[in-house]
Amino acid sequence: MRRPSAHTLMSLVAIASILLGTLGTFLVEDVRDANALDLVLLVTASAGTLARRSYPVAALIIVGVSVAVYYPESRFDGPIAILVFIVLFTAADQGRLIAAVAMGSTLMLAMGYGEARGVGHVDDTLFVAIAGWVVASIAFGGVTRNRRAYLEEAERRALEAEHSKEEEARRRASEERLRIARELHDVLGHNISMINVQAAAALHGLKKRPEDAEQALRTIKDASKETLRGLRITLGVLRQVDEDAPTAPADSLARVDALVAASGLEVTTELSGPLDTVPAEADVAASRIIREALTNVSRHSGTNQATLTISNTSGNIMIRVEDDGPGATFDGGTGFGLQGMRERAAALGGSLEAGPRPEGGFRVVVHLPLNGAS
C-alpha cells in the first residue's frame, strides 16, 4: 500500500486543525443559523489544499476564492485562512509567484471589504497579522525555491567538474600513451635500424675483413642489450611494477659521446657551451632528437658519415645534424620520425627545420629555448 507523502500529511493535519477550530468556534459562539454555504466552502478549500502540489494555480484559485467568499458571507468564524497560507507558499515554491501575489492581494481586499460591511470576523490587529502571514508565505515559498535551484545548480556544477576531471584524466592518459609510443619508436627504431646496418656490414666483411665483422657483431650485441633495457623500462612503467626508477635519463647531452657511439656512424662532433647544466626536460628532448636524427642518417642517407653540432648560448640550445649522402627523396617531413622530433621541439617552444642541403645531403636544425624548460 502506497504511503501518503509528507506534503499530504501536512495538508491533512492543517485541514483537521481548521475543521476542529471551526467546530470549536461553532460551539462556543452558539451559531445555530449556519447554512450549507459555510460547510461547502470549508470542504472546497480543503480539497483544493490537498491538490496544491499537482495543480498549484488551480488550488490557489479554489482556496483563495473559497476564503474570499467565506469571511464576508460565512456565519462561522473558523481559521480557514491558514489554508491560504499553505497554497500561497506552494505556488511561490513552484515558481507561480505572480499568481500567488495576485491571489494574496485579492484575498486581503475581500477580507477588507467584508470587515467594512461590519461582518466582524477579524479586528484591525488580526487583519494586519493575516496580511503579514500572506506576505511571509509568499516570501518563504520564493526562498525555498531559490535555495532548491541553488542546490540543483551546485549539484550540476559538481557533476560537470567530475566529468571534466574524467575528461582531463582521459586526455592525459592519451598524451601519456602517445609519449610512450614515441619513446618506443625512438629506442626501438634507432637500435633496430643500427642493428640492421651493422648486420649488413658484418655479412659483407665476414670473409674479407673478419676484424670489422667482429666489431660489427659487438655493436649489434650492445645495441640489442640497450634496446631490451629500454623496452623493459617502458613496460615497467606500463605495468607499474615495484622497481627502482632510473635516476637519470637514458640519454643526455652530457653523454653525447655515448649517443654518437651507439649510432654506428662516423660522426664529427662540434660542441660549444655547457651541456651538463641543461634542464632535464630540454636535455631529454635534445638527446632524443639527436638519436632520431642520427637514426635517419643511418636509415635513409646512404652514407655512414655525419656531422653533429651542439651549442648552448644565450639560453638556447642549437642542434645541427648534417650528412652528405645521396639519400632518398624528401617527402616534406611527414614521416613519423621527423614529426616526432618536431613535436618534441614544439613542446618546449622550439622549432625544427629539416630538408636537403644545396650542396647535397640532408640537414636537420633544431632550436630549443631553455627559459620554458625545467
Side-chain angles (χ1 to χ4, degrees):
M1 182 178 179
R2 185 177 179 181
R3 299 178 60 183
S5 65
H7 296 290
T8 302
L9 289 176
M10 184 179 70
S11 299
L12 291 174
V13 170
I15 292 169
S17 300
I18 292 168
L19 292 177
L20 289 175
T22 303
L23 179 60
T25 302
F26 174 78
L27 295 176
V28 170
E29 296 184 1
D30 194 22
V31 180
R32 302 301 181 186
D33 57 346
N35 56 32
L37 181 62
D38 299 321
L39 298 176
V40 170
L41 291 175
L42 279 172
V43 173
T44 302
S46 299
T49 303
L50 290 175
R52 76 189 193 284
R53 302 299 300 182
S54 301
Y55 309 99
V57 176
L60 187 64
I61 294 173
I62 292 173
V63 176
V65 170
S66 298
V67 174
V69 174
Y70 178 87
Y71 277 105
E73 303 297 335
S74 174
R75 295 172 177 79
F76 287 168
D77 196 13
I80 191 175
I82 295 176
L83 298 181
V84 175
F85 304 151
I86 295 175
V87 293
L88 285 174
F89 169 85
T90 302
D93 179 68
Q94 295 192 5
R96 308 300 199 276
L97 186 60
I98 296 177
V101 172
M103 184 53 66
S105 301
T106 302
L107 175 64
M108 296 313 300
L109 289 175
M111 291 183 65
Y113 169 74
E115 296 310 311
R117 290 174 51 196
V119 175
H121 284 306
V122 295
D123 56 19
D124 293 342
T125 302
L126 184 58
F127 181 82
V128 172
I130 293 175
W133 275 105
V134 168
V135 174
S137 300
I138 297 173
F140 289 158
V143 169
T144 57
R145 175 177 175 78
N146 290 338
R147 176 171 173 76
R148 186 169 59 253
Y150 169 79
L151 293 176
E152 291 175 354
E153 178 66 15
E155 182 179 0
R156 183 186 66 80
R157 290 186 178 182
L159 292 175
E160 288 182 354
E162 183 178 354
H163 181 69
S164 298
K165 288 181 180 179
E166 293 175 354
E167 290 291 333
E168 178 68 13
R170 283 194 290 267
R171 184 187 66 80
R172 291 188 177 184
S174 178
E175 291 178 353
E176 183 66 11
R177 286 194 293 270
L178 179 60
R179 185 191 67 79
I180 292 173
R182 188 177 294 132
E183 294 291 332
L184 284 174
H185 172 269
D186 290 346
V187 174
L188 297 180
H190 167 78
N191 288 306
I192 291 175
S193 177
M194 189 272 295
I195 288 172
N196 179 66
V197 172
Q198 295 295 331
L203 289 174
H204 181 72
L206 186 61
K207 295 181 179 180
K208 297 181 180 180
R209 303 180 63 182
E211 65 279 5
D212 291 345
E214 181 180 355
Q215 180 59 37
L217 291 174
R218 289 183 183 277
T219 303
I220 290 173
K221 177 183 176 182
D222 294 339
S224 61
K225 182 179 179 181
E226 173 68 16
T227 301
L228 290 174
R229 187 186 73 83
L231 186 59
R232 241 188 340 262
I233 291 174
T234 304
L235 292 178
V237 173
L238 290 175
R239 294 172 181 169
Q240 297 182 349
V241 294
D242 187 17
E243 59 184 26
D244 293 335
T247 57
D251 296 324
S252 174
L253 294 178
R255 297 188 296 277
V256 70
D257 292 341
L259 270 175
V260 170
S263 69
L265 300 171
E266 297 180 12
V267 181
T268 301
T269 305
E270 300 176 7
L271 308 177
S272 63
L275 300 181
D276 55 350
T277 59
V278 177
E281 188 175 4
D283 190 30
V284 171
S287 302
R288 292 301 188 186
I289 288 172
I290 292 171
R291 177 186 284 273
E292 181 64 30
L294 293 177
T295 298
N296 287 345
V297 172
S298 175
R299 186 182 298 171
H300 303 299
S301 69
T303 182
N304 66 342
Q305 296 181 342
T307 300
L308 170 63
T309 303
I310 307 174
S311 66
N312 179 8
T313 57
S314 302
N316 186 71
I317 292 288
M318 190 279 293
I319 302 169
R320 180 184 288 111
V321 179
E322 298 177 306
D323 67 78
D324 57 0
T329 303
F330 182 56
D331 62 357
T334 59
F336 190 82
L338 280 177
Q339 184 65 24
M341 288 191 289
R342 186 173 286 108
E343 289 179 359
R344 285 184 183 276
L348 296 179
S351 62
L352 180 143
E353 299 177 2
R357 301 194 308 167
E359 62 271 27
F362 198 81
R363 174 189 293 128
V364 174
V365 180
V366 181
H367 293 275
L368 297 177
L370 301 183
N371 55 356
S374 58

